[in-house]
Amino acid sequence: MTLHDVIKRYLLSEETFIEINEGEISANEFLTYDEIKIGLRVIIIGKNGRKRLVDLGLLQIIAKCGDLEFVKDYLNMSKSLRDIYNKYKVYTELEYVAVKEECQKGLDEDILNVLSRLKFYILHREKSIQK
């Protein structure tokens, strides 16, 4: 299955999200696919049974702003969210976009406002963890 197949299945399902298996999409596909809307969510089920809700639109934004490594790590279900946090200091793809301003170019003003508030929360969380 490819990213195209996953998106087609999502759109045909008329569900809030669909489930896919780990390995059905690869990070590199986000670079070649046309725009994926924010909010297109899938649950990735890892071979180890771990599940992760993932926004494909946000992952594409991250990939296209130059951090394919984060996308690969986030799709890798052998990595826990704690592992993601230890490496990137964020837990989710939304948090990643909030702290990486270079990933915010061209986003809607309402989304930018939400990301700004989220970034404030993340920075506050980091300060309280370091104390």
Side-chain angles (χ1 to χ4, degrees):
M1 186 173 283
T2 65
L3 180 59
H4 175 76
D5 297 329
V6 169
I7 292 172
K8 184 177 178 182
R9 192 171 124 216
Y10 172 86
L11 294 172
L12 292 173
S13 75
E14 297 182 3
E15 298 293 330
T16 305
F17 52 82
I18 61 169
E19 293 183 352
I20 64 171
N21 293 315
E22 179 180 12
E24 288 190 37
I25 56 176
S26 73
N28 291 327
E29 290 180 274
F30 288 97
L31 296 173
T32 59
Y33 198 86
D34 290 337
E35 181 186 359
I36 302 170
K37 300 284 185 197
I38 295 174
L40 197 155
R41 296 176 294 173
V42 299
I43 294 177
I44 299 177
I45 303 171
K47 296 174 184 110
N48 57 6
R50 178 178 283 141
K51 294 181 180 182
R52 182 170 298 145
L53 181 62
V54 175
D55 187 305
L56 298 180
L58 290 172
L59 287 182
Q60 184 180 47
I61 288 169
I62 295 166
K64 289 195 172 185
C65 80
D67 201 344
L68 205 55
E69 185 175 351
F70 177 85
V71 177
K72 288 177 183 177
D73 286 345
Y74 207 71
L75 293 174
N76 181 348
M77 298 305 289
S78 68
K79 294 185 184 283
S80 69
L81 291 179
R82 174 57 68 186
D83 296 333
I84 299 295
Y85 175 80
N86 288 336
K87 186 171 182 179
Y88 299 99
K89 300 302 180 212
V90 297
Y91 288 102
T92 67
E93 72 280 54
L94 180 60
E95 287 186 5
Y96 190 89
V97 173
V99 298
K100 297 290 185 176
E101 291 181 14
E102 60 270 20
C103 292
Q104 298 175 14
K105 294 177 184 163
L107 293 180
D108 179 82
E109 188 175 320
D110 291 336
I111 293 171
L112 292 173
N113 187 26
V114 171
L115 292 174
S116 173
R117 292 172 188 238
L118 181 57
K119 181 178 180 179
F120 176 80
Y121 167 78
I122 294 165
L123 295 175
H124 179 71
R125 177 181 70 198
E126 286 304 305
K127 286 180 185 176
S128 66
I129 289 174
Q130 293 174 358
K131 288 183 181 180

